[in-house]
Amino acid sequence: MDNLVEIRWHGRGGQGAKTASLLLADAAFNTGKYIQGFPEYGPERMGAPITAYNRISDNPITIHSNIYEPDYVVVVDDTLLESVPVTAGLKETGAIVINTTKDAEYLRSVLKGYNGSIYTIDARKVSMETLGKYFPNTAMLAAIVKVSGVMTDEELLSDMEGSFKHKFAKKPEVIEGNMKALEMALKEVKKI
């Protein structure tokens, strides 16, 4: 399928990987794309590994399965690097985006020979500076948009402002922090 972008998210229950994948799907839909966003659960408990998926295309999507050969992988929790095969099936023409402060040598060693592009962001730092609490999903959402180019930074920011106003209607004080987290993350994601 031409112009189909497939993204696989790895996180732990409670970190917002599922929410981020659904927000990405909504934002892409609002830019006129065809989308899919769905989670896959193992044991449903806080802290357990979870996987979520996105498909984004300019054409209708007729595939209805998990994603086995993603273009991009997002790792919300770097402790998963040693316990989950995060690069399984990952195309070397794509990239992996990792929430980490670990150095390039360590990352290359745990990614076991993956030769594609590796991007990192310290989502903890972004989250703490903008929200005052550790919510890595907002930063990771911006990071994957920046790396994948599925939409422009401006499209993401405009759509997410509307989403946040709706989602946090009863807590408007968190909208500004989330917007700052997106803006900061767009600048902080780096290729190693």
Side-chain angles (χ1 to χ4, degrees):
M1 182 175 245
D2 291 340
N3 76 26
L4 174 68
V5 175
E6 295 182 311
I7 301 169
R8 186 174 65 217
W9 296 74
H10 293 280
R12 293 190 180 277
Q15 292 178 325
K18 178 186 99 170
T19 300
S21 76
L22 297 177
L23 287 170
L24 177 57
D26 285 346
F29 177 79
N30 291 335
T31 66
K33 306 273 190 202
Y34 291 89
I35 57 95
Q36 290 179 352
F38 54 98
E40 173 186 35
Y41 296 104
E44 294 183 46
R45 64 182 195 277
M46 188 72 79
I50 70 111
T51 309
Y53 304 94
N54 288 111
R55 283 192 179 96
I56 301 169
S57 177
D58 291 329
N59 301 312
I61 301 170
T62 57
I63 305 165
H64 299 286
S65 67
N66 286 349
I67 294 171
Y68 301 103
E69 295 182 348
D71 299 291
Y72 300 95
V73 166
V74 181
V75 181
V76 181
D77 186 322
D78 67 0
T79 65
L80 295 170
L81 294 173
E82 294 187 27
S83 60
V84 173
V86 296
T87 58
L90 177 57
K91 296 174 185 167
E92 293 193 357
T93 55
I96 187 168
V97 182
I98 307 166
N99 171 18
T100 192
T101 57
K102 304 260 190 328
D103 64 36
E105 186 178 331
Y106 167 80
L107 294 174
R108 285 194 178 89
S109 74
V110 295
L111 294 177
K112 298 177 176 64
Y114 175 68
N115 292 316
S117 299
I118 303 168
Y119 290 82
T120 63
I121 183 167
D122 185 350
R124 179 178 296 280
K125 177 184 134 195
V126 170
S127 179
M128 295 305 291
E129 285 185 21
T130 58
L131 298 166
K133 291 183 180 175
Y134 183 46
F135 295 114
N137 60 338
T138 302
M140 297 309 291
L141 170 61
I144 190 57
V145 166
K146 186 67 161 185
V147 169
S148 68
V150 294
M151 69 185 72
T152 67
D153 296 358
E154 294 76 24
E155 287 172 325
L156 173 70
L157 293 171
S158 173
D159 188 77
M160 292 312 301
E161 186 170 23
S163 291
F164 289 152
K165 284 180 179 174
H166 177 74
K167 182 175 178 160
F168 300 122
K170 294 192 184 335
K171 297 189 282 184
E173 65 278 5
V174 301
I175 296 170
E176 183 180 351
N178 275 283
M179 291 305 297
K180 285 183 180 174
L182 289 171
E183 292 165 5
M184 185 175 176
L186 288 168
K187 295 176 187 149
E188 294 276 323
V189 64
K190 303 280 186 256
K191 186 175 184 178
I192 63 165

